[in-house]
Amino acid sequence: MTADLTADALLDLAPVVPVVVIDDAEAAVPLAAALVAGGLPVIEVTLRTPAALAAIERIAAQVPDAVVGAGTIVRPQDAADAAAAGSRFLVSPGCTPALREAMTATGLPFLPGVSSASEAMALLEHGITALKFFPAEAAGGTAYLKSLGGPLPGVRFCPTGGITPASAPDYLALPNVGCVGGSWLTPADAVKDGDWDRIRALAAEAAALRTR
């Protein structure tokens, strides 16, 4: 299904992409399995902890139905390390020319982060049409994304940052939004306690948010 995954196709795999912070690599496999069982196969593991790369390796090797990627790609080396760990895609909070080149060099689909029309246009010049909109709520939310639809009709977004189960449907209703990123799927206490049933239930609720 994902052998020839593109960034644009990535936006259509699930309505919500869990944005996951993993402190203990031992939790990675059961956490990913719970998300997949709930109907969310695309999982973004943020490179914010020392355990992140090991977590990606374990998910890639042991949860075959998961499409695991790396988020918080902020340096060129992050892109290379994430690819080596088995990431299927990359996500960055922003983008510079050097980071764009590094992510392109991995051969993986990637969602570079933007928060303005100018940033989106700079990436569009390189043929990049699938973007992360971050930080979504702080940068203008659904009203801002709706306004970008007119001048940039060929660009689609995965908004992330401050999105909740209540606001997600409003984002998903926009024609230039393919999916949203959310951190509410994996509450820290549920991960710490190994409450995979709770995480599976949250994933199932999110999977049902697709409005079209």
Side-chain angles (χ1 to χ4, degrees):
M1 176 181 72
T2 59
D4 299 312
L5 184 64
T6 64
D8 197 61
L10 183 67
L11 299 183
D12 296 322
L13 290 181
V16 180
V17 175
V19 179
V20 182
V21 178
I22 297 179
D23 293 303
D24 181 359
E26 292 291 331
V29 168
L31 184 153
L35 291 170
V36 171
L40 299 181
V42 183
I43 303 168
E44 175 188 336
V45 177
T46 64
L47 300 189
R48 300 179 189 176
T49 68
L53 290 173
I56 291 170
E57 289 180 351
R58 294 189 182 201
I59 295 170
Q62 301 180 48
V63 191
D65 291 331
V67 181
V68 63
T72 322
I73 302 291
V74 297
R75 304 172 303 156
Q77 189 60 46
D78 292 338
D81 291 344
S87 294
R88 300 292 301 277
F89 63 93
L90 307 172
V91 184
S92 65
C95 199
T96 65
L99 189 59
R100 172 180 51 76
E101 291 175 5
M103 291 193 289
T104 301
T106 66
L108 296 173
F110 60 93
L111 300 175
V114 302
S115 60
S116 72
S118 293
E119 292 169 340
M121 290 164 62
L123 290 163
L124 193 57
E125 288 179 353
H126 295 276
I128 299 171
T129 59
L131 309 175
K132 172 179 178 174
F133 181 62
F134 177 85
E137 285 290 285
T142 55
Y144 192 88
L145 279 172
K146 185 176 181 179
S147 72
L148 290 181
L152 301 174
V155 178
R156 298 174 72 216
F157 298 93
C158 173
T160 304
I163 297 175
T164 67
S167 63
D170 294 333
Y171 281 93
L172 292 169
L174 297 175
N176 59 346
V177 168
C179 62
V180 301
S183 58
W184 78 85
L185 287 309
T186 53
D189 60 334
V191 177
K192 181 180 179 180
D193 296 341
D195 191 350
W196 312 126
D197 286 339
R198 179 182 171 195
I199 289 176
R200 182 169 63 248
L202 288 170
E205 292 173 2
L209 290 176
R210 174 64 71 195
T211 59
R212 63 185 190 283

